[in-house]
Amino acid sequence: MSDSIRDQLLGMGFKPAPKPERKPDPRKPGPGGRGQRPAAAAEANKPGKPGKPRAERRPSGPARAGRSQEDIDLAKAYAIRAQKEKDERLAAEAAKQEAARLRREAKAKFDAFIVGKSLNVESAEIARHFEYGGKIKRVYVTAEQLKALNAGQLGVLQQNGRYLVVTADVLAEAEAIFPQGVALKVDPNAPAQEDPYADPQYQIPDDLVW
């Protein structure tokens, strides 16, 4: 349209046609962010809209402090229990070693005490059987010694696998030093069934294997 015709139309009261509105280029960054219009950026940040999930926020304040205190208390409890168990193991081991030491000392004193106190007779032929350590053992004695053993006037001690006939007094003193060394101690007032081998007529063949 020429300028003269446009001027004539304007003079007749016609308004000029509005100019088309320019749309912003979505590829150019705007004030709302890179490559996204402010309205679109706000829309994407609204809750409930699909998109990139937000990073989970770590608890802070009293909740986080309470959890940390709980972890500390639990760690302290574990440390206390571990230390207690360690102390108990050390105490048990120390008690075991002390008991072994006392046993060795008592055994050494026992061995020294019974030196020269044995009444065994090499020619003795009577086997006196008795129970010791859960097994049947025997010691050879004379007829007189057998009667004295059954009457409680003699006793039998065990030393390194050997069985020694001793007097009742020696037996009592040895028992006070090292009780484990007493192999046969007869109570003359005890019922006969408690010591079935006390009967002189109760003989077991020597060739019988126990």
Side-chain angles (χ1 to χ4, degrees), residues 91-101:
E93 183 63 25
K96 183 178 179 181
Q97 293 179 0
E98 179 65 12
R101 183 186 67 82

Side-chain angles (χ1 to χ4, degrees), residues 37-152:
R37 292 175 296 173
E43 187 71 18
N45 290 330
K46 285 185 179 180
K49 293 293 183 178
K52 185 177 180 180
R54 296 182 180 180
E56 183 179 356
R57 298 180 61 185
R58 299 182 62 183
S60 61
R64 183 175 182 182
R67 181 175 301 177
S68 300
Q69 185 62 40
E70 182 180 353
D71 294 341
I72 293 174
D73 293 341
L74 185 61
K76 287 183 178 179
Y78 278 123
I80 293 173
R81 186 177 69 177
Q83 184 63 40
K84 182 179 179 181
E85 292 176 352
K86 181 180 178 180
D87 293 342
E88 290 176 351
R89 288 195 302 270
L90 293 177
E93 183 63 25
K96 183 178 179 181
Q97 293 179 0
E98 179 65 12
R101 183 186 67 82
L102 294 176
R103 179 184 175 88
R104 289 193 301 268
E105 292 180 356
K107 180 62 167 58
K109 188 176 181 180
F110 170 85
D111 292 340
F113 171 74
I114 64 177
V115 172
K117 296 181 174 62
S118 173
L119 302 178
N120 292 54
V121 178
E122 292 185 2
S123 60
E125 298 180 352
I126 301 176
R128 175 58 162 92
H129 292 82
F130 55 92
E131 183 179 355
Y132 177 71
K135 297 182 180 180
I136 303 301
K137 304 296 182 179
R138 65 186 175 187
V139 62
Y140 287 95
V141 296
T142 63
E144 292 77 11
Q145 288 178 333
L146 180 61
K147 293 178 182 179
L149 274 173
N150 295 336

Side-chain angles (χ1 to χ4, degrees), residues 10 34 39 51 75 87 106 109 114 119 124-125 131 142 164 168-170 176-177 190 196 198 201 205-206:
L10 291 175
R34 295 184 177 179
D87 293 342
K109 188 176 181 180
I114 64 177
L119 302 178
E125 298 180 352
E131 183 179 355
T142 63
L164 310 177
D169 293 339
V170 171
I177 298 172
Q201 297 181 354
D206 293 342

Side-chain angles (χ1 to χ4, degrees), residues 6 13 24 26 97 107 109 115 124 139 143 157 162 185 189 196 208:
R6 184 177 58 181
Q97 293 179 0
K107 180 62 167 58
K109 188 176 181 180
V115 172
V139 62
L157 299 175
R162 295 175 61 242
K185 180 181 179 181
N189 299 320
L208 180 62

